[in-house]
Structures are given as structure tokens and as C-alpha cells.
Amino acid sequence: MATPAPYHFSRRIRATPRSFIREILKVTEKPDIISFAGGLPSPAFLDAGGVALATGEVLRKEGRSALQYSTTEGCLPLRRWIADRYARRYSLEVSPEEILITNGSQQTLDLVGRIFLNEGDPVGIEAPGYLGAIQAFSQSMPRFCPVSLEPDGPDTAALARVVREDRPVFFYCIPNSQNPSGITYSPGRRKEVVGLLSGEETLVVEDDAYGEIRFDGKALRPLKCDLPDRTVLCGTFSKIVAPGLRLGWMCAPKEIIEMAITAKQASDLHTSIFSQLVLARYLEEQDIDAHIREINRAYAARCTLMVSLMEELFPREVTFTRPAGGMFVWLTLPPGVSSMELWRRALEEKVAILPGTPFYTDGNGDRGVRLNFSNADPETIRTGITRLAGVLEKYLRDIA
Ligand code: PMP
């Protein structure tokens, strides 16, 4: 029998890494495994009742237009809501024309890559960096220029060098409760980053997925406030309402939005108008600020519990971040300890963690581990961290 002809996939898709998280989640979905590997919001805050109410009203009041094709820009009331919130929270004045509704902020990242990057173009990115962004930008086959993160933000000397020598098209960053590290840029680092990039051709792609998930409830102004014409700000409803709605946005100067609209038309014409109308109605009816306060109270308690158990039980050589928001803690393992090996050992004890390597674009990161605290209840956190402490202790003994 003749051998079938091979499939010739494009170079760009072959250059794109498969999401390691999705691969890991397949293993960790088993009910007897305690998983700190994923990045899911707590199901307790997915308001099915409120969404059901809004859905019924949309269908009754908007009728068939809720089920028709719609504009690429997205539903105006929703874009107005986003613009008003920026004005109220941060005194950031943008018009609805500077906002494009997307299928989650993941699509914003995909659009950013497609409108700005040619093959081989330099891109500045935090190390460790958000896996989904690495994946989205990889499709354009860029040259990543990593800038390592320190406890209060990026290594600004390294960023200055990258900007001067590599001249990246943009610097992709998550100044608030970064994924995966949990780090928040300090006011000083923010000022330095703004200073370094003002007057430069390098744009800022600022991912503010966790801007509302701040345990002290205080709003931290986006870098965009200081670099309005040079920043593409990415936002999402996934962490404050529900990821299943797949609703996020791009906030950028109009010229950039216009290009993104063209790119979005080519991929999906527009984001589901039905989802958008339901969310717009939901936001009108519900007290979203009270909802966000509740999320923050619960995540703060989970984070504090996880960190204090690690302080109490983990070997002293293991260090970790102390997040002030978001959903993740980042561990740094001592020299000679591999996160991949720790992942295997932890899984034997039915605990799933996320090894650090996929968060780096240069093959580093094997001493990093990401742990999620938003999706596990306090009892699960206690059991899981206690087990992980045992695994770490044994691993350190084995290699001593
Ligand atoms: N950016 C960051 C930093 C994230 O953590 C996530 C979700 N893991 C996203 C973007 C994408 O989220 P969504 O597409 O649901 O808005």
C-alpha cells in the first residue's frame, strides 16, 4: 500500500508551541488530584442566576437582533461602560471608538501579533512571561527579547538595553499581579518603564487582566495613562464576570483599532452579539463593584492561607512571591532542583503544579513553579500544600 502524502503545515503554526497548560490539565482533571496547575476563577463567583436573568431579558427585549450578525467594533453600550470605568477608576479618558470588543483578551493578543509583527521582528517580553501571549505572538515567528522580572517589576537596566539594542516593536507587560509570577510593579518601576519608553518607537502592550483583582481594593493606574498614544491596553471580563462569555477588549488609539478591526474581520467577523448584550444587561442590573469586592475578599483569604502554609511547611531554600492580587504565586526552587522533576513527583502524590520552563522564551525557568490559589477551597489548599511540602522535603533529601 502506498504511504499517504505528508501534510504540509505552515511554518507559522509549526513555530507555535502547544499550550503546556492545556496538556497538563488533561492529566489533572481527574477528581482525586488536587490541582494548583490551572488558572480558573473560583466557580463560586460565576453568577449563573444573574446571567440567566439578563439572558431572558435580552431575548424578550432585543428579540431577533440579539441573534443577528453585528458590527466588528462591538456593542456600543458595552464599549461605553468600559470607557466610563476607565474614566472613573483611573481618570483615563478614552472614547468608545478607542475600544474594540474581542473574544477575550486572548484574542486581543492574537490581533496585536497579527497587526504589528513580521517574521523575525523583536518583541520585548517579561521573563517569566504569560504563556498565552508567548503562544499568540509565536504565530508571527518573532524574535523574543526577554526582560527578567525582579520582586517589584522588570529589570529596568535590562529593559533599557533591550530597547536601545534590539529596538522591539513592543514591550508586552502585565504590571498588575502578573501571570505567572504574581508580581505587581512598584510605583518607582512604573515611572522608570514609562521614562524608558517615552519618545521611543517601541510600543507598550499592557495586559491588565488582573487590574480589578487587587486585595486592598485600590486601583493602580495603567501605564497607558502616561503613554496614551503609545500603549495598547488589553482588558477582560473573564476574571470579574465569567470566562465562558469570552468577552474582552482592546483599548488603543483609533488608528490601531482600525487595523485590529480588519484583522478581526478576517478571523471571526465579530464577537458574539448575544454574549455582549447579555453582559451589558448584566452590568446594568447587578452591583459589579460589590461582586468584585467579594471576589477580592475570597482570593485574598486563599492567597494568605497558601503563603502562610508555605512559610510554615516548605523547606527554607524554597522562596516565593507574596501577591497583592491576581490568582498566582510563583516559587523559586533551590539550585539543582528541577520543576519538571518536582511536577512528576508531586503528581505521584496527587498534587498538580505548573513547571516554570514554558513561561520562558529562552529555555530557562526550570527552577520556577506557578501555583494557582483562586480555584481551590481553603481545605484543599491546606491538604495540597501539606502534600507538596512533603514532596519538596523528600526531593531535597534525595539530592543532598
Ligand atoms: N492575559 C492574561 C495575563 C491572562 O492570565 C489571561 C487568562 N489566563 C488572559 C490574558 C486571557 O484571558 P481571556 O481571553 O479569558 O480574557
Side-chain angles (χ1 to χ4, degrees):
M1 215 166 57
T3 343
Y7 300 116
H8 294 290
F9 293 110
S10 68
R11 278 196 296 131
R12 55 182 59 232
I13 197 63
R14 283 188 284 119
T16 305
R18 184 79 179 257
S19 167
F20 190 67
I21 297 188
R22 300 271 162 259
E23 298 302 305
I24 277 197
L25 291 185
K26 282 186 208 157
V27 188
T28 60
E29 269 164 4
K30 295 182 189 137
D32 59 333
I33 288 183
I34 290 181
S35 180
F36 300 129
L40 305 183
S42 166
F45 300 109
L46 303 177
D47 179 10
V51 173
L53 201 69
T55 305
E57 283 171 15
V58 163
L59 286 172
R60 253 192 324 278
K61 292 189 178 142
E62 315 273 350
R64 294 187 168 113
S65 62
L67 303 172
Q68 191 51 280
Y69 280 117
S70 187
T71 60
T72 307
E73 289 85 333
C75 138
L76 187 58
L78 200 52
R79 287 188 289 141
R80 276 211 192 102
W81 187 93
I82 295 163
D84 288 349
R85 197 163 179 88
Y86 277 145
R88 194 153 50 81
R89 258 175 90 77
Y90 312 116
S91 307
L92 172 62
E93 299 294 335
V94 293
S95 76
E97 286 73 48
E98 293 168 283
I99 292 165
L100 167 66
I101 302 293
T102 57
N103 261 299
S105 48
Q106 189 62 35
Q107 185 181 42
T108 310
L109 299 177
D110 177 59
L111 296 176
V112 162
R114 288 201 284 128
I115 66 175
F116 285 116
L117 298 178
N118 290 308
E119 186 175 339
D121 278 351
V123 166
I125 189 161
E126 298 159 325
Y130 169 51
L131 204 55
I134 295 173
Q135 198 177 33
F137 304 149
S138 288
Q139 292 182 90
S140 305
M141 299 194 287
R143 179 166 61 81
F144 286 109
C145 308
V147 175
S148 48
L149 281 179
E150 295 177 341
D152 62 344
D155 174 345
T156 37
L159 178 61
R161 205 164 44 245
V162 163
V163 170
R164 197 175 54 238
E165 290 170 14
D166 296 291
R167 307 208 148 273
V169 179
F170 56 78
F171 174 51
Y172 169 75
C173 56
I174 311 172
N176 295 327
S177 310
Q178 200 248 10
N179 180 359
S181 70
I183 282 170
T184 292
Y185 293 14
S186 67
R189 289 291 164 126
R190 282 167 201 263
K191 236 183 245 155
E192 280 183 71
V193 172
V194 167
L196 275 170
L197 293 172
S198 55
E200 295 289 341
E201 286 205 0
T202 299
L203 297 173
V204 181
V205 174
E206 179 175 24
D207 186 340
D208 202 22
Y210 301 99
E212 299 262 10
I213 310 299
R214 304 288 312 161
F215 302 154
D216 64 4
K218 292 204 183 106
L220 287 169
R221 293 181 84 221
L223 303 178
K224 184 168 174 72
C225 296
D226 296 312
L227 294 167
D229 301 331
R230 309 300 300 168
T231 304
V232 176
L233 182 55
C234 316
T236 180
F237 288 102
S238 292
K239 322 295 173 186
I240 55 171
V241 182
L245 291 171
R246 301 312 299 129
L247 290 171
W249 65 91
M250 172 191 289
C251 173
K254 204 148 176 291
E255 213 179 319
I256 296 177
I257 294 290
E258 288 299 326
M259 275 301 186
I261 286 174
T262 307
K264 183 166 165 63
Q265 282 168 349
S267 65
D268 64 2
L269 306 182
H270 65 82
T271 294
S272 158
I273 185 63
F274 185 56
S275 265
Q276 294 181 65
L277 289 170
V278 167
L279 178 63
R281 168 80 45 181
Y282 179 86
L283 293 170
E284 229 173 81
E285 286 169 353
Q286 305 291 331
D287 184 348
I288 188 72
D289 291 310
H291 184 67
I292 294 171
R293 275 196 300 275
E294 265 185 53
I295 295 175
N296 277 323
R297 252 199 306 275
Y299 288 6
R302 288 170 186 204
C303 180
T304 305
L305 176 64
M306 187 177 265
V307 166
S308 58
L309 283 167
M310 295 194 306
E311 278 167 349
E312 185 189 331
L313 303 172
F314 276 10
R316 265 210 317 280
E317 300 91 316
V318 178
T319 59
F320 37 86
T321 54
R322 277 138 181 96
M327 311 199 315
F328 306 105
V329 177
W330 182 256
L331 312 186
T332 304
L333 303 171
V337 177
S338 149
S339 63
M340 276 296 190
E341 173 62 15
L342 183 67
W343 175 68
R344 273 188 292 272
R345 288 173 176 243
L347 208 56
E348 277 173 23
E349 299 303 316
K350 303 213 177 306
V351 182
I353 59 164
L354 210 54
T357 338
F359 297 99
Y360 284 75
T361 53
D362 55 9
N364 285 323
D366 194 33
R367 282 173 50 207
V369 172
R370 192 190 79 174
L371 299 182
N372 168 262
F373 53 77
S374 57
N375 192 240
D377 59 53
E379 207 34 57
T380 310
I381 291 177
R382 200 175 292 281
T383 314
I385 294 298
T386 307
R387 277 189 211 168
L388 195 54
V391 172
L392 274 165
E393 242 166 56
K394 175 158 190 320
Y395 188 178
L396 290 188
R397 261 202 321 273
D398 288 350
I399 60 166

